[in-house]
Structures are given as C-alpha cells and as structure tokens.
C-alpha cells in the first residue's frame, strides 16, 4: 500500500503552514491515515444486508446524524441517564469505517446488535460489499459555504493554528479548487444524489438545514428508514421530541465528555466536533466576491439536480 500511495498526486495545504498533506485517490482527496483505512476497508470490509451506513462529506452534519441514529436505534436499551452518548464521543459509539478494524465492527454488531456504521468515502469508493449487500445508506449534506467555514476552523484548530496564521482566503481557494477532505465536495454530493435516484428505497438524502428547520419530520423519516420507526404511543409520550432535544447542539455540546474529552486519548479534542452549528456563519468570513464565485460554480454543477447547496 505504501508504494501505491507514493505514486498518487499529492497536495500540501499552504494555508495550514505545510502541516497537512492530502493524496488524490480514486478522484478524491484524503489524508494518509484515512486513505490507508479506506483502502483496508475496501479490501476487507464485509457488509451485511442489515447494515445501515451513515455517509457524509466532512463537516456536513456527521456528528449530529450519528447521534440521532444511535439514539433512535438504542432507545429500548438505554435511556437518557444510561446512554453511552453521555460518556463517549459519538464517533466512538458508531464505528467509522476508515478507522475501525473489521473485528471492532463485528464486536459492536454482536454487543449492541447495532447496524450502524459511518464513512466519509464517496459513493463510488465504498467497499464493494456495501453495494452488493444492498444495505441502506443515509447521506447528509449541507450548505457549501458553511461547510467551508466549518472545515477551515476544524483543520486550523486540529493543527493548533491561530486564525492570523491560517488565511481564510487560501482555505477558500483550495476548497474551491476541489481540494478538501474527501472532496471535491460537489462530486461527493452528486455521487450519493445520483445513487439515490437509482436506488431510492436504499438511499435516503437528508439536508442539514432541513433537519434544523423541520426536525420532527426528518427524525421520523430517519427512524422509519433505518428500521426503527416510532410508534404512535412513543410519539404521544414525547420520545421523538426527547431524542431531538437530547441530540441537539445545545445539549450535546454541553456534555462534559464533549467539552473536555479526547477519544481514546487521541490528538483531537472532542469539542472540535461542536463549534457553533449556526446556519449562515459563512457571512462572517466570505467577501461578496467569494460568495459569487462559489455560488456560480455550485449553480453550474447542480443546475440539473434540484439540490440547493448554497
Ligand atoms: P465531522 O465530519 O468531522 O464528523 P461534522 O459533524 O460533519 O464533522 O460537522 C461538524 C459541524 O456540525 C460543526 O459545524 P460548525 O463548524 O458550523 O459549528 C458542528 O458545530 C456541527 N454540529 C455538531 N453537532 C451538532 C448538532 N447536534 N446539531 C447541529 N449541528 C451540530
């Protein structure tokens, strides 16, 4: 694998002071350890028809989608005082394909009989068994301008660079050129969107902004789709509302584990996954010119789709 990686196109992010290098593999950009994990998964991962994949490009609502799906799927096993979401970052509760060993997923499947698995891989690069097993896929996407800002802060903070040392204009330009984690972002969304047209019963698309503006409808849709529908009695008893509140930004970002924890003693602090969660935060960073430029390109790429990414 090492030799193959050496042959791939490489890009070192100048705005991150050369501290991060991405590789272009199967038409998407990715950092080395996630690339290695992705290739390992492509070679070894065996999906079951009952698996449910939570897929996303980075910074589009992954953490939120995972919390909701986990809370929905485990609601008969745990309540709000016993859920693992109180003590673990959600990324440790729902295995991440590129980071998990196959055994870990198998153990999880047995332990919790939890069908959930998450990945940032583009649709075209999913392990073959994910497609051949015909398992379900939920894909979340988000306004591209907020994704750019969210990714900017995440990467900058992960590398401990203050804003004055990490010019936003350069981060923007790189993203615009398609060089972003698992990007180009447009291609990532288009891949899942096209697949959802071909396999609508197996692929559900959710939009971050819709989840915010209409949480109840979308959370019920998610629960139905992943095979854990709410009963009328549950709805009456407020179970849906409670899950929405518990998994909401206000609650999750204030849990001690998410304020001060580090997963498995790793480098990244949990709080980095909970920044602001504000729609339209891009307005604090974009010039008029940047807005026009990214919207023009996004319009060109999405004109046929009916999807609104801006
Ligand atoms: P990841 O791909 O690294 O897992 P992801 O969860 O997709 O990141 O994106 C993080 C964004 O979701 C952050 O957005 P911001 O930078 O604009 O603030 C984060 O704040 C937001 N987020 C995290 N949890 C929630 C939540 N419960 N509700 C809404 N937004 C959330």
């Amino acid at each position: 694998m090492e030799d193959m990686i050496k042959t791939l196109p490489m890009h070192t992010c100048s705005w991150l002071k050369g501290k991060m290098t991405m590789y272009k593999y199967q038409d998407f950009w990715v950092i080395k350890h996630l690339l290695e994990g992705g290739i390992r998964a492509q070679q070894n991962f065996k999906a079951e028809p009952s698996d449910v994949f939570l897929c996303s490009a980075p910074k589009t609502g992954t953490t939120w989608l995972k919390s909701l799906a986990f809370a929905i799927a485990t609601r008969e096993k745990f309540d709000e005082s016993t859920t693992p979401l109180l003590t673990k970052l959600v990324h440790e509760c729902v295995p991440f394909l590129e980071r998990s060993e196959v055994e870990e997923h198998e153990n999880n499947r047995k332990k919790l009989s939890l069908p959930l698995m998450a990945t940032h891989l583009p649709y075209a690069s999913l392990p073959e068994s994910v497609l051949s097993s015909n398992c379900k896929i939920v894909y979340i996407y988000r306004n591209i301008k907020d994704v750019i800002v969210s990714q900017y802060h995440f990467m900058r903070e992960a590398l401990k660079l203050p804003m004055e040392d990490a010019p936003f204009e350069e981060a923007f330009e790189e993203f615009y050129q398609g060089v972003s984690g698992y990007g180009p972002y447009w291609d990532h969304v288009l891949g899942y969107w096209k697949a959802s047209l071909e396999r609508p019963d197996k692929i559900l698309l959710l939009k971050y902004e819709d989840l915010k503006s209409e949480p109840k409808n979308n959370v019920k849709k998610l629960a139905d789709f992943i095979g854990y529908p709410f009963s009328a009695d549950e709805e009456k008893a407020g179970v849906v509302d409670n899950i929405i509140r518990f998994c909401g930004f206000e609650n999750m970002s204030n849990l001690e584990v998410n304020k001060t924890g580090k997963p498995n003693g790793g480098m990244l602090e949990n709080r980095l996954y909970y920044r602001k969660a504000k729609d339209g935060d891009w307005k604090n960073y974009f010039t008029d010119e940047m807005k026009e430029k990214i919207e023009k390109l996004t319009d060109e790429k999405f004109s046929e789709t009916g999807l609104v990414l801006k």
Side-chain angles (χ1 to χ4, degrees):
M1 194 188 301
E2 195 64 30
D3 287 344
M4 186 282 287
I5 291 176
K6 278 191 199 137
T7 67
L8 297 175
M10 246 171 77
H11 175 88
T12 299
C13 304
S14 63
W15 66 278
L16 289 167
K17 300 287 166 276
K19 289 184 179 188
M20 201 179 80
T21 296
M22 292 201 254
Y23 295 84
K24 193 173 198 185
Y25 172 72
Q26 297 185 344
D27 290 330
F28 69 94
W29 289 99
V30 64
I31 56 175
K32 189 164 178 221
H33 73 274
L34 295 180
L35 169 59
E36 289 166 346
I39 295 173
R40 254 196 331 267
Q42 288 181 332
Q43 291 169 346
N44 303 321
F45 184 79
K46 297 277 172 286
E48 299 275 338
S50 56
D51 281 345
V52 176
F53 267 78
L54 307 177
C55 304
S56 57
K59 305 298 141 203
T60 59
T62 322
T63 308
W64 193 13
L65 175 63
K66 281 183 176 180
S67 310
L68 287 167
F70 184 84
I72 290 169
T74 61
R75 69 185 185 273
E76 291 193 348
K77 295 188 181 77
F78 305 118
D79 61 29
E80 282 191 20
S81 64
T82 56
T83 176
L85 293 171
L86 289 174
T87 50
K88 283 189 197 173
L89 178 70
V90 68
H91 299 308
E92 291 186 84
C93 298
V94 177
F96 179 40
L97 185 70
E98 294 90 306
R99 281 233 179 87
S100 11
E101 298 303 329
V102 174
E103 305 83 66
E104 183 191 337
H105 182 52
E106 289 308 319
N107 289 341
N108 229 42
R109 258 206 269 253
K110 282 184 205 128
K111 228 175 24 203
L112 289 176
S113 42
L114 187 73
L116 303 175
M117 190 80 202
T119 183
H120 283 320
L121 287 174
Y123 185 78
S125 296
L126 289 173
E128 202 280 321
S129 68
V130 175
L131 304 186
S132 60
S133 71
N134 211 19
C135 65
K136 287 185 181 167
I137 291 176
V138 181
Y139 183 71
I140 189 159
Y141 65 101
R142 185 183 186 188
N143 177 326
I144 189 167
K145 301 192 289 279
D146 283 332
V147 173
I148 296 176
V149 170
S150 187
Q151 182 169 299
Y152 166 73
H153 286 296
F154 183 81
M155 285 158 69
R156 181 183 68 66
E157 291 222 33
L159 294 170
K160 304 200 181 333
L161 283 174
M163 275 179 71
E164 51 282 17
D165 291 347
F168 178 72
E169 312 74 61
E170 284 181 31
F172 169 88
E173 193 54 36
E174 202 168 74
F175 197 107
Y176 178 83
Q177 298 297 338
V179 187
S180 61
Y182 295 86
Y185 179 54
W186 305 270
D187 297 356
H188 204 284
V189 182
L190 285 171
Y192 282 93
W193 172 76
K194 279 191 194 129
S196 77
L197 297 183
E198 285 154 21
R199 304 169 58 214
D201 54 327
K202 292 293 175 185
I203 304 180
L204 173 70
L205 255 51
L206 291 176
K207 188 172 178 188
Y208 179 90
E209 289 77 14
D210 293 346
L211 206 47
K212 271 203 161 173
S213 59
E214 282 189 71
K216 203 155 180 174
N217 284 348
N218 283 293
V219 166
K220 279 165 46 183
K221 201 196 280 184
L222 173 64
D224 286 345
F225 184 80
I226 67 176
Y228 297 84
F230 293 105
S231 67
D233 284 349
E234 280 185 309
E235 236 191 293
K236 237 185 268 160
V239 176
V240 187
D241 296 321
N242 284 338
I243 286 181
I244 292 169
R245 180 191 39 75
F246 186 85
C247 295
F249 184 77
E250 183 62 29
N251 183 56
M252 293 300 282
S253 62
N254 280 305
L255 294 178
E256 203 49 43
V257 62
N258 294 329
K259 281 201 293 197
T260 58
K262 278 187 184 180
N264 282 331
M267 292 287 286
L268 293 183
E269 296 161 77
N270 295 354
R271 66 172 182 86
L272 297 187
Y273 296 95
Y274 297 91
R275 193 182 65 92
K276 271 192 179 176
K278 285 266 177 297
D279 290 348
D281 192 33
W282 62 267
K283 290 178 191 141
N284 297 315
Y285 299 87
F286 277 56
T287 61
D288 290 346
E289 197 185 310
M290 286 174 180
K291 173 181 179 295
E292 271 164 39
K293 189 168 161 175
I294 201 88
E295 288 189 349
K296 184 165 177 285
L297 183 59
T298 304
D299 282 343
E300 280 164 19
K301 291 189 187 264
F302 279 77
S303 58
E304 311 275 282
T305 65
L307 295 182
V308 180
L309 225 72
K310 48 177 197 161

